[in-house]
Structure formats: structure tokens, C-alpha cells
Amino acid sequence: DEVKDKGKLRIDHISREITLHGSKLSAADKANCLRIANMCPVHKTLEQSAVVSTSLRAEAAPLLLHIAGRSAELSPGFSVQRVIPFHKKRAVGPWVFCDHYGPVDVSGQGGAAEPMDVAPHPHIGVATLSFLFSGAILHRDSIGIEKMILPGAVNYMSSGRGVVHSERGRDALPHFAPHPEGKKMLHGLQMWIGLPREHEDEEPNFHHAGEVPDISGKV
């Protein structure tokens, strides 16, 4: 709403509507969305000179594109479901590659899959992010890093101008959590991030986060 103040127009009241894509949001979810919206710096600035009111509207999100994972053999006897790249969607933002594997028994016995065993191979101009829900994988690379990744941890390797690494599942089998049937269950994700042009020629580096905090319901 606009009002005149000494011959000048001044905004006295601002109304805004936020559309929430997802009809299953609870009242608590909606309240949290409002709280976050009201933390916006622009909102705070507007509040200094006008009354700001916000309303919520729930709406089912339209499905823009459905991408089904395609089976791809990563190492002999071990396959993943590759989501991107896809012929209709080469990337999603900076994400240029996404593999999902498992949950699968990689004990290699009784018809089970073989352990993931990816031999040394190069990367350049990308970063890889690996996360496990179950199992274990041993990472080795050409900058001297050797690190076991376990469930809940994250490996982040930025290749920069170039790096060579391997992912050895067979060497990691002793680190799998016990299973009542003796299985070796592996379940995880690996995603590639296209590096910004200004970082493509940097020295390669590696970071390991031993435990990722659960922030669900806090953001």
C-alpha cells in the first residue's frame, strides 16, 4: 500500500505470498518456512519502514523431468545406477555426474556381487564427493592420501589440474559392519562437481569429514 508523505510516495504495507511445493508439509514445517523467510536481510530492511505480512500457499511441485538410473559396470562384477549425465540433462547445476549403488552384498559368494574395485584412473577439472550408507571403501591417490571411508563420512577430492586415484572395496571388506547372515552390504553415492574455471588449474587436494551432522528439522 502506498501513502503520501509530504508530497512523496511512501510504502506503508507490503504483502507477499510464498508458494511451498509439497502438499505433505506439516504445520511445523510451514511455521519453520515462515521463520526462515523472515530472517531474510531484505525482509529485515523492509520492516524498518513498512509492515510486512507473509502468507503461505501449498502447491504440488510439477514434475519437469524424470530420469531413471541406468546400469553401468564400474568394476568387474560390480554395477551402479547412473543418474546423470543423461541425454536430456547433462548436469544439474554444478553436479555433472551421479552414481548410486546398493544396497548390495559384495561378499562375492553365493551369487552376490563382487566388491567395488576401481583401479587407478585420472580426474581433471572436477571434484568428487563420496558418501556411504553402509559398507567401506579405501581411497588412495597420487598426492599420497590413503583414507578409509565408512558410513556417515564424506570424502571430497578436488582434482584441479589433475590427480589419479583408486577405490578399493576388497581391501575394505574387514571394515564392514557385522551382518547376521555374513553378508557384506555396500550402499552409497558418488557425485562429481564441475569446478569453476578459476579453480581448474589449482593443485589437487583431499578432505575427509569423519561424521556429517544431522541437521534435519534445524534449517
Side-chain angles (χ1 to χ4, degrees):
D1 299 332
E2 297 178 346
V3 297
K4 286 189 176 182
D5 185 5
K6 296 182 179 180
K8 297 181 180 180
L9 287 177
R10 176 172 59 88
I11 298 176
D12 183 60
H13 182 250
I14 299 171
S15 299
R16 62 179 179 172
E17 182 180 76
I18 299 175
T19 301
L20 304 177
H21 292 293
S23 57
K24 295 182 180 180
L25 290 172
S26 66
D29 291 332
K30 294 177 181 178
N32 198 38
C33 288
L34 271 179
R35 180 183 64 81
I36 294 172
N38 291 341
M39 292 169 61
C40 170
V42 175
H43 176 93
K44 294 296 183 183
T45 302
L46 293 173
E47 275 189 328
Q48 296 176 12
S49 59
V51 176
V52 182
S53 61
T54 305
S55 59
L56 299 177
R57 181 168 65 91
E59 177 179 290
L63 179 63
L64 301 178
L65 178 66
H66 177 259
I67 303 176
R70 292 99 57 213
S71 181
E73 188 174 70
L74 197 63
S75 62
F78 183 84
S79 295
V80 300
Q81 289 294 309
R82 184 153 296 160
V83 181
I84 54 173
F86 181 60
H87 70 280
K88 290 185 178 180
K89 195 71 175 177
R90 305 301 299 175
V92 178
W95 305 97
V96 297
F97 196 92
C98 180
D99 279 353
H100 172 242
Y101 46 88
V104 60
D105 179 13
V106 293
S107 64
Q109 301 175 0
E114 293 294 322
M116 176 195 293
D117 201 28
V118 183
H121 58 282
H123 286 275
I124 185 169
V126 298
T128 62
L129 186 149
S130 300
F131 180 85
L132 289 183
F133 300 100
S134 64
I137 296 173
L138 179 62
H139 165 98
R140 293 192 184 102
D141 62 42
S142 57
I143 59 176
I145 301 295
E146 181 171 317
K147 193 69 179 178
M148 188 74 65
I149 180 172
L150 299 171
V154 168
N155 278 359
Y156 176 87
M157 182 186 71
S158 179
S159 64
R161 65 181 63 181
V163 70
V164 174
H165 83 128
S166 65
E167 295 158 299
R168 300 298 193 182
R170 195 173 300 278
D171 293 343
L173 288 178
H175 299 271
F176 276 55
H179 189 279
E181 299 177 11
K183 295 180 179 180
K184 301 290 186 180
M185 301 303 296
L186 182 65
H187 185 197
L189 296 166
Q190 186 177 92
M191 296 168 284
W192 294 9
I193 305 158
L195 292 176
R197 192 174 299 276
E198 61 269 23
H199 296 296
E200 288 181 348
D201 200 40
E202 291 182 346
E203 291 294 328
N205 59 82
F206 177 89
H207 301 277
H208 175 83
E211 184 177 353
V212 180
D214 182 1
I215 60 172
S216 57
K218 299 179 183 178
V219 176

